[in-house]
Amino acid sequence: MQPSDRKICLICTHTLSLSDVFGCSPLCADDEICENRHNIPTCECNSSIYNGKTTADVKPSVTCESNVMTISVSKCLLQYLHYDYTSLQLNTNSTNCIYIYTEIINNQSMLSVQAAVQSEWCGNIVTNGSSKISYTNTLYIEPLGLPGTGTNNLAFPFTCTYNNTSDIPGSTTVLDSVTGGGSYTARMTAYRDSSFTIKIQNGDFVEIESDIYLGISVSEADGNKLALTVTECIASPTMNRSDLNTVQLMSQGCAYPSAVHTEVISNGESLEATIRIQSFQFRGYSSVNIFCNVTLCGIGECTGCLSARTLPGNAGELAVALQLQDSFFSSTAFHKAVPKVVMVGALFAFVFNKHF
């Protein structure tokens, strides 16, 4: 091959000859120009485009997805205004909370930062209304500190709002009263906080090794006579609770001593039972399904472990399904910075009734 036939190679280290055709690939954004930096085609900001601009012209854009908030700001405008575009940070500045990546949006070179839609994630502030739940964080940008430039940080609060009551993973079952006189509906719901207020909705995620909370309750029953008891819980990678890979979480009313940490917070004492489970992933599977058997007992009859007791003859089964994905962030580089698999609330809610 003759020298005049050689093509540009961004990875190669050969020196460009005069006959080489110089150009950046991929193409630069509209606010960039292609420069020769040590014989390497490099996209650099074209500051002349932003002549006369001030900090009032810095207007970040926010994208709200089901499990992530993304805030983006013009890289070249920040550079023109002498702000350090590598200093972007959220309310909490740690390696687990910040990853800055460049992308082209509307033909402009933009810097983007992603925030997980999760309570207490890296300084998120949660506002929980009756029908809406909002997640707020703040993007901070520091000045370069050059003589004659501004000295104040830029701060941009941003918020994403989601429905709070629809599409919540969970299921219901009907339980007969042990005292006679009717039947009652029991429901199991997954939460992300110990106060059982922030429900895990379809599309939400839970990081592996963080806690999920199961709340099981019975409506319209007489709490002076009846109590709800969870007798058993198991986890399966499939919708089959008899799958060979199932893991026991609870047995006979108490936490089962398995590799998955489970805490029975309350059980058999009232019309509500609460359980904490450390989230985990089945190797090679993309879902986790949790099945729990529940029953109604008379007050004081089914507290504690039940190995020596005879359970009532009627019980129901509740289930929640959780789907797994590789990362709640679209950037693979961020996934490398925070190498955690996440669980996402599934679109399934399925119910079984058992009589035994």
PDB file of all heavy atoms in Angstrom, residues 276-302:
ATOM      1  N   ARG A 276     -37.977  -8.277  56.444  1.00  0.00           N
ATOM      2  CA  ARG A 276     -36.860  -7.644  55.731  1.00  0.00           C
ATOM      3  C   ARG A 276     -36.004  -8.725  55.096  1.00  0.00           C
ATOM      4  O   ARG A 276     -35.638  -9.699  55.744  1.00  0.00           O
ATOM      5  CB  ARG A 276     -36.008  -6.807  56.679  1.00  0.00           C
ATOM      6  CG  ARG A 276     -34.808  -6.135  55.996  1.00  0.00           C
ATOM      7  CD  ARG A 276     -34.059  -5.223  56.963  1.00  0.00           C
ATOM      8  NE  ARG A 276     -33.444  -5.981  58.048  1.00  0.00           N
ATOM      9  CZ  ARG A 276     -32.232  -6.530  57.995  1.00  0.00           C
ATOM     10  NH1 ARG A 276     -31.508  -6.430  56.877  1.00  0.00           N
ATOM     11  NH2 ARG A 276     -31.740  -7.181  59.030  1.00  0.00           N
ATOM     12  N   ILE A 277     -35.682  -8.556  53.817  1.00  0.00           N
ATOM     13  CA  ILE A 277     -34.869  -9.526  53.084  1.00  0.00           C
ATOM     14  C   ILE A 277     -33.749  -8.775  52.375  1.00  0.00           C
ATOM     15  O   ILE A 277     -33.978  -7.764  51.723  1.00  0.00           O
ATOM     16  CB  ILE A 277     -35.706 -10.299  52.049  1.00  0.00           C
ATOM     17  CG1 ILE A 277     -36.855 -11.044  52.738  1.00  0.00           C
ATOM     18  CG2 ILE A 277     -34.835 -11.277  51.249  1.00  0.00           C
ATOM     19  CD1 ILE A 277     -37.842 -11.646  51.772  1.00  0.00           C
ATOM     20  N   GLN A 278     -32.537  -9.257  52.507  1.00  0.00           N
ATOM     21  CA  GLN A 278     -31.418  -8.678  51.757  1.00  0.00           C
ATOM     22  C   GLN A 278     -31.490  -9.181  50.320  1.00  0.00           C
ATOM     23  O   GLN A 278     -31.464 -10.380  50.067  1.00  0.00           O
ATOM     24  CB  GLN A 278     -30.088  -9.072  52.393  1.00  0.00           C
ATOM     25  CG  GLN A 278     -28.904  -8.343  51.787  1.00  0.00           C
ATOM     26  CD  GLN A 278     -27.607  -8.696  52.476  1.00  0.00           C
ATOM     27  OE1 GLN A 278     -27.171  -9.838  52.431  1.00  0.00           O
ATOM     28  NE2 GLN A 278     -26.985  -7.717  53.129  1.00  0.00           N
ATOM     29  N   SER A 279     -31.617  -8.261  49.379  1.00  0.00           N
ATOM     30  CA  SER A 279     -31.828  -8.640  47.989  1.00  0.00           C
ATOM     31  C   SER A 279     -30.621  -9.383  47.423  1.00  0.00           C
ATOM     32  O   SER A 279     -29.482  -9.156  47.827  1.00  0.00           O
ATOM     33  CB  SER A 279     -32.132  -7.408  47.141  1.00  0.00           C
ATOM     34  OG  SER A 279     -31.088  -6.473  47.233  1.00  0.00           O
ATOM     35  N   PHE A 280     -30.884 -10.263  46.486  1.00  0.00           N
ATOM     36  CA  PHE A 280     -29.842 -11.117  45.928  1.00  0.00           C
ATOM     37  C   PHE A 280     -30.235 -11.538  44.521  1.00  0.00           C
ATOM     38  O   PHE A 280     -31.356 -11.285  44.071  1.00  0.00           O
ATOM     39  CB  PHE A 280     -29.656 -12.364  46.810  1.00  0.00           C
ATOM     40  CG  PHE A 280     -30.841 -13.291  46.785  1.00  0.00           C
ATOM     41  CD1 PHE A 280     -30.858 -14.416  45.964  1.00  0.00           C
ATOM     42  CD2 PHE A 280     -31.950 -13.031  47.577  1.00  0.00           C
ATOM     43  CE1 PHE A 280     -31.955 -15.259  45.934  1.00  0.00           C
ATOM     44  CE2 PHE A 280     -33.057 -13.870  47.554  1.00  0.00           C
ATOM     45  CZ  PHE A 280     -33.060 -14.980  46.731  1.00  0.00           C
ATOM     46  N   GLN A 281     -29.313 -12.203  43.849  1.00  0.00           N
ATOM     47  CA  GLN A 281     -29.545 -12.678  42.489  1.00  0.00           C
ATOM     48  C   GLN A 281     -29.225 -14.152  42.391  1.00  0.00           C
ATOM     49  O   GLN A 281     -28.235 -14.628  42.949  1.00  0.00           O
ATOM     50  CB  GLN A 281     -28.674 -11.911  41.491  1.00  0.00           C
ATOM     51  CG  GLN A 281     -28.842 -12.382  40.044  1.00  0.00           C
ATOM     52  CD  GLN A 281     -27.811 -11.761  39.115  1.00  0.00           C
ATOM     53  OE1 GLN A 281     -26.796 -11.269  39.572  1.00  0.00           O
ATOM     54  NE2 GLN A 281     -28.081 -11.785  37.831  1.00  0.00           N
ATOM     55  N   PHE A 282     -30.095 -14.894  41.701  1.00  0.00           N
ATOM     56  CA  PHE A 282     -29.767 -16.272  41.348  1.00  0.00           C
ATOM     57  C   PHE A 282     -28.785 -16.246  40.179  1.00  0.00           C
ATOM     58  O   PHE A 282     -29.050 -15.599  39.160  1.00  0.00           O
ATOM     59  CB  PHE A 282     -31.021 -17.052  40.937  1.00  0.00           C
ATOM     60  CG  PHE A 282     -31.914 -17.431  42.082  1.00  0.00           C
ATOM     61  CD1 PHE A 282     -33.025 -16.667  42.401  1.00  0.00           C
ATOM     62  CD2 PHE A 282     -31.647 -18.565  42.841  1.00  0.00           C
ATOM     63  CE1 PHE A 282     -33.849 -17.015  43.445  1.00  0.00           C
ATOM     64  CE2 PHE A 282     -32.470 -18.919  43.888  1.00  0.00           C
ATOM     65  CZ  PHE A 282     -33.576 -18.144  44.200  1.00  0.00           C
ATOM     66  N   ARG A 283     -27.687 -16.951  40.310  1.00  0.00           N
ATOM     67  CA  ARG A 283     -26.680 -16.961  39.255  1.00  0.00           C
ATOM     68  C   ARG A 283     -27.268 -17.515  37.963  1.00  0.00           C
ATOM     69  O   ARG A 283     -27.855 -18.591  37.943  1.00  0.00           O
ATOM     70  CB  ARG A 283     -25.478 -17.811  39.670  1.00  0.00           C
ATOM     71  CG  ARG A 283     -24.329 -17.797  38.655  1.00  0.00           C
ATOM     72  CD  ARG A 283     -23.177 -18.665  39.129  1.00  0.00           C
ATOM     73  NE  ARG A 283     -22.627 -18.180  40.387  1.00  0.00           N
ATOM     74  CZ  ARG A 283     -21.717 -17.221  40.476  1.00  0.00           C
ATOM     75  NH1 ARG A 283     -21.264 -16.633  39.382  1.00  0.00           N
ATOM     76  NH2 ARG A 283     -21.260 -16.826  41.657  1.00  0.00           N
ATOM     77  N   GLY A 284     -27.131 -16.766  36.896  1.00  0.00           N
ATOM     78  CA  GLY A 284     -27.588 -17.219  35.595  1.00  0.00           C
ATOM     79  C   GLY A 284     -29.056 -16.960  35.325  1.00  0.00           C
ATOM     80  O   GLY A 284     -29.555 -17.329  34.256  1.00  0.00           O
ATOM     81  N   TYR A 285     -29.781 -16.335  36.273  1.00  0.00           N
ATOM     82  CA  TYR A 285     -31.207 -16.069  36.082  1.00  0.00           C
ATOM     83  C   TYR A 285     -31.462 -14.563  36.113  1.00  0.00           C
ATOM     84  O   TYR A 285     -30.703 -13.791  36.709  1.00  0.00           O
ATOM     85  CB  TYR A 285     -32.039 -16.759  37.161  1.00  0.00           C
ATOM     86  CG  TYR A 285     -32.121 -18.261  37.012  1.00  0.00           C
ATOM     87  CD1 TYR A 285     -31.169 -19.081  37.602  1.00  0.00           C
ATOM     88  CD2 TYR A 285     -33.147 -18.846  36.272  1.00  0.00           C
ATOM     89  CE1 TYR A 285     -31.236 -20.461  37.468  1.00  0.00           C
ATOM     90  CE2 TYR A 285     -33.219 -20.220  36.138  1.00  0.00           C
ATOM     91  CZ  TYR A 285     -32.264 -21.028  36.734  1.00  0.00           C
ATOM     92  OH  TYR A 285     -32.333 -22.382  36.597  1.00  0.00           O
ATOM     93  N   SER A 286     -32.554 -14.168  35.492  1.00  0.00           N
ATOM     94  CA  SER A 286     -32.874 -12.745  35.406  1.00  0.00           C
ATOM     95  C   SER A 286     -34.069 -12.356  36.264  1.00  0.00           C
ATOM     96  O   SER A 286     -34.604 -11.267  36.117  1.00  0.00           O
ATOM     97  CB  SER A 286     -33.160 -12.362  33.947  1.00  0.00           C
ATOM     98  OG  SER A 286     -34.273 -13.095  33.462  1.00  0.00           O
ATOM     99  N   SER A 287     -34.516 -13.230  37.147  1.00  0.00           N
ATOM    100  CA  SER A 287     -35.667 -12.890  37.972  1.00  0.00           C
ATOM    101  C   SER A 287     -35.583 -13.553  39.334  1.00  0.00           C
ATOM    102  O   SER A 287     -34.904 -14.569  39.517  1.00  0.00           O
ATOM    103  CB  SER A 287     -36.974 -13.307  37.276  1.00  0.00           C
ATOM    104  OG  SER A 287     -37.013 -14.706  37.096  1.00  0.00           O
ATOM    105  N   VAL A 288     -36.258 -12.942  40.293  1.00  0.00           N
ATOM    106  CA  VAL A 288     -36.432 -13.501  41.627  1.00  0.00           C
ATOM    107  C   VAL A 288     -37.913 -13.415  41.969  1.00  0.00           C
ATOM    108  O   VAL A 288     -38.510 -12.342  41.847  1.00  0.00           O
ATOM    109  CB  VAL A 288     -35.608 -12.748  42.690  1.00  0.00           C
ATOM    110  CG1 VAL A 288     -35.974 -13.223  44.084  1.00  0.00           C
ATOM    111  CG2 VAL A 288     -34.125 -12.947  42.453  1.00  0.00           C
ATOM    112  N   ASN A 289     -38.487 -14.526  42.361  1.00  0.00           N
ATOM    113  CA  ASN A 289     -39.896 -14.587  42.719  1.00  0.00           C
ATOM    114  C   ASN A 289     -40.011 -15.047  44.163  1.00  0.00           C
ATOM    115  O   ASN A 289     -39.434 -16.065  44.542  1.00  0.00           O
ATOM    116  CB  ASN A 289     -40.636 -15.561  41.804  1.00  0.00           C
ATOM    117  CG  ASN A 289     -40.446 -15.226  40.337  1.00  0.00           C
ATOM    118  OD1 ASN A 289     -41.122 -14.373  39.794  1.00  0.00           O
ATOM    119  ND2 ASN A 289     -39.481 -15.879  39.694  1.00  0.00           N
ATOM    120  N   ILE A 290     -40.736 -14.303  44.979  1.00  0.00           N
ATOM    121  CA  ILE A 290     -40.865 -14.599  46.397  1.00  0.00           C
ATOM    122  C   ILE A 290     -42.288 -15.063  46.686  1.00  0.00           C
ATOM    123  O   ILE A 290     -43.258 -14.365  46.365  1.00  0.00           O
ATOM    124  CB  ILE A 290     -40.516 -13.378  47.256  1.00  0.00           C
ATOM    125  CG1 ILE A 290     -39.070 -12.931  46.978  1.00  0.00           C
ATOM    126  CG2 ILE A 290     -40.693 -13.681  48.744  1.00  0.00           C
ATOM    127  CD1 ILE A 290     -38.677 -11.656  47.681  1.00  0.00           C
ATOM    128  N   PHE A 291     -42.412 -16.246  47.263  1.00  0.00           N
ATOM    129  CA  PHE A 291     -43.698 -16.849  47.601  1.00  0.00           C
ATOM    130  C   PHE A 291     -43.813 -16.931  49.128  1.00  0.00           C
ATOM    131  O   PHE A 291     -42.878 -17.386  49.787  1.00  0.00           O
ATOM    132  CB  PHE A 291     -43.824 -18.260  47.029  1.00  0.00           C
ATOM    133  CG  PHE A 291     -43.667 -18.343  45.527  1.00  0.00           C
ATOM    134  CD1 PHE A 291     -42.405 -18.392  44.945  1.00  0.00           C
ATOM    135  CD2 PHE A 291     -44.768 -18.385  44.695  1.00  0.00           C
ATOM    136  CE1 PHE A 291     -42.251 -18.477  43.568  1.00  0.00           C
ATOM    137  CE2 PHE A 291     -44.631 -18.475  43.323  1.00  0.00           C
ATOM    138  CZ  PHE A 291     -43.366 -18.525  42.758  1.00  0.00           C
ATOM    139  N   CYS A 292     -44.947 -16.513  49.663  1.00  0.00           N
ATOM    140  CA  CYS A 292     -45.170 -16.601  51.107  1.00  0.00           C
ATOM    141  C   CYS A 292     -46.529 -17.229  51.385  1.00  0.00           C
ATOM    142  O   CYS A 292     -47.533 -16.849  50.764  1.00  0.00           O
ATOM    143  CB  CYS A 292     -45.110 -15.226  51.762  1.00  0.00           C
ATOM    144  SG  CYS A 292     -43.467 -14.466  51.763  1.00  0.00           S
ATOM    145  N   ASN A 293     -46.562 -18.182  52.315  1.00  0.00           N
ATOM    146  CA  ASN A 293     -47.809 -18.758  52.793  1.00  0.00           C
ATOM    147  C   ASN A 293     -48.285 -17.976  54.002  1.00  0.00           C
ATOM    148  O   ASN A 293     -47.498 -17.684  54.915  1.00  0.00           O
ATOM    149  CB  ASN A 293     -47.616 -20.225  53.176  1.00  0.00           C
ATOM    150  CG  ASN A 293     -47.336 -21.102  51.971  1.00  0.00           C
ATOM    151  OD1 ASN A 293     -47.676 -20.740  50.844  1.00  0.00           O
ATOM    152  ND2 ASN A 293     -46.701 -22.229  52.193  1.00  0.00           N
ATOM    153  N   VAL A 294     -49.549 -17.637  54.031  1.00  0.00           N
ATOM    154  CA  VAL A 294     -50.112 -16.851  55.129  1.00  0.00           C
ATOM    155  C   VAL A 294     -51.385 -17.518  55.637  1.00  0.00           C
ATOM    156  O   VAL A 294     -52.055 -18.253  54.911  1.00  0.00           O
ATOM    157  CB  VAL A 294     -50.412 -15.404  54.689  1.00  0.00           C
ATOM    158  CG1 VAL A 294     -49.137 -14.671  54.310  1.00  0.00           C
ATOM    159  CG2 VAL A 294     -51.390 -15.387  53.516  1.00  0.00           C
ATOM    160  N   THR A 295     -51.716 -17.236  56.889  1.00  0.00           N
ATOM    161  CA  THR A 295     -52.929 -17.785  57.480  1.00  0.00           C
ATOM    162  C   THR A 295     -53.433 -16.853  58.561  1.00  0.00           C
ATOM    163  O   THR A 295     -52.691 -15.979  59.044  1.00  0.00           O
ATOM    164  CB  THR A 295     -52.672 -19.186  58.069  1.00  0.00           C
ATOM    165  OG1 THR A 295     -53.910 -19.762  58.466  1.00  0.00           O
ATOM    166  CG2 THR A 295     -51.735 -19.117  59.257  1.00  0.00           C
ATOM    167  N   LEU A 296     -54.683 -16.992  58.939  1.00  0.00           N
ATOM    168  CA  LEU A 296     -55.258 -16.244  60.045  1.00  0.00           C
ATOM    169  C   LEU A 296     -55.325 -17.137  61.275  1.00  0.00           C
ATOM    170  O   LEU A 296     -55.688 -18.319  61.188  1.00  0.00           O
ATOM    171  CB  LEU A 296     -56.660 -15.744  59.698  1.00  0.00           C
ATOM    172  CG  LEU A 296     -56.748 -14.539  58.758  1.00  0.00           C
ATOM    173  CD1 LEU A 296     -58.196 -14.266  58.380  1.00  0.00           C
ATOM    174  CD2 LEU A 296     -56.129 -13.296  59.405  1.00  0.00           C
ATOM    175  N   CYS A 297     -54.952 -16.578  62.410  1.00  0.00           N
ATOM    176  CA  CYS A 297     -55.020 -17.282  63.684  1.00  0.00           C
ATOM    177  C   CYS A 297     -55.808 -16.433  64.671  1.00  0.00           C
ATOM    178  O   CYS A 297     -56.005 -15.231  64.462  1.00  0.00           O
ATOM    179  CB  CYS A 297     -53.619 -17.518  64.254  1.00  0.00           C
ATOM    180  SG  CYS A 297     -52.554 -18.562  63.251  1.00  0.00           S
ATOM    181  N   GLY A 298     -56.215 -17.049  65.763  1.00  0.00           N
ATOM    182  CA  GLY A 298     -56.757 -16.275  66.854  1.00  0.00           C
ATOM    183  C   GLY A 298     -55.643 -15.500  67.529  1.00  0.00           C
ATOM    184  O   GLY A 298     -54.474 -15.882  67.474  1.00  0.00           O
ATOM    185  N   ILE A 299     -55.976 -14.360  68.137  1.00  0.00           N
ATOM    186  CA  ILE A 299     -54.977 -13.531  68.803  1.00  0.00           C
ATOM    187  C   ILE A 299     -54.170 -14.366  69.803  1.00  0.00           C
ATOM    188  O   ILE A 299     -54.724 -15.076  70.634  1.00  0.00           O
ATOM    189  CB  ILE A 299     -55.656 -12.356  69.526  1.00  0.00           C
ATOM    190  CG1 ILE A 299     -56.082 -11.288  68.529  1.00  0.00           C
ATOM    191  CG2 ILE A 299     -54.723 -11.731  70.553  1.00  0.00           C
ATOM    192  CD1 ILE A 299     -54.938 -10.527  67.894  1.00  0.00           C
ATOM    193  N   GLY A 300     -52.840 -14.295  69.683  1.00  0.00           N
ATOM    194  CA  GLY A 300     -51.948 -14.982  70.609  1.00  0.00           C
ATOM    195  C   GLY A 300     -51.715 -16.439  70.317  1.00  0.00           C
ATOM    196  O   GLY A 300     -50.941 -17.098  71.021  1.00  0.00           O
ATOM    197  N   GLU A 301     -52.314 -16.972  69.265  1.00  0.00           N
ATOM    198  CA  GLU A 301     -52.212 -18.409  68.982  1.00  0.00           C
ATOM    199  C   GLU A 301     -51.069 -18.749  68.042  1.00  0.00           C
ATOM    200  O   GLU A 301     -50.647 -19.911  67.988  1.00  0.00           O
ATOM    201  CB  GLU A 301     -53.531 -18.928  68.397  1.00  0.00           C
ATOM    202  CG  GLU A 301     -54.702 -18.865  69.363  1.00  0.00           C
ATOM    203  CD  GLU A 301     -55.992 -19.382  68.726  1.00  0.00           C
ATOM    204  OE1 GLU A 301     -55.950 -19.732  67.513  1.00  0.00           O
ATOM    205  OE2 GLU A 301     -57.019 -19.427  69.421  1.00  0.00           O
ATOM    206  N   CYS A 302     -50.577 -17.799  67.279  1.00  0.00           N
ATOM    207  CA  CYS A 302     -49.585 -18.121  66.240  1.00  0.00           C
ATOM    208  C   CYS A 302     -48.374 -17.206  66.289  1.00  0.00           C
ATOM    209  O   CYS A 302     -47.753 -16.928  65.258  1.00  0.00           O
ATOM    210  CB  CYS A 302     -50.233 -18.039  64.854  1.00  0.00           C
ATOM    211  SG  CYS A 302     -51.504 -19.274  64.563  1.00  0.00           S
TER     212      CYS A 302
END
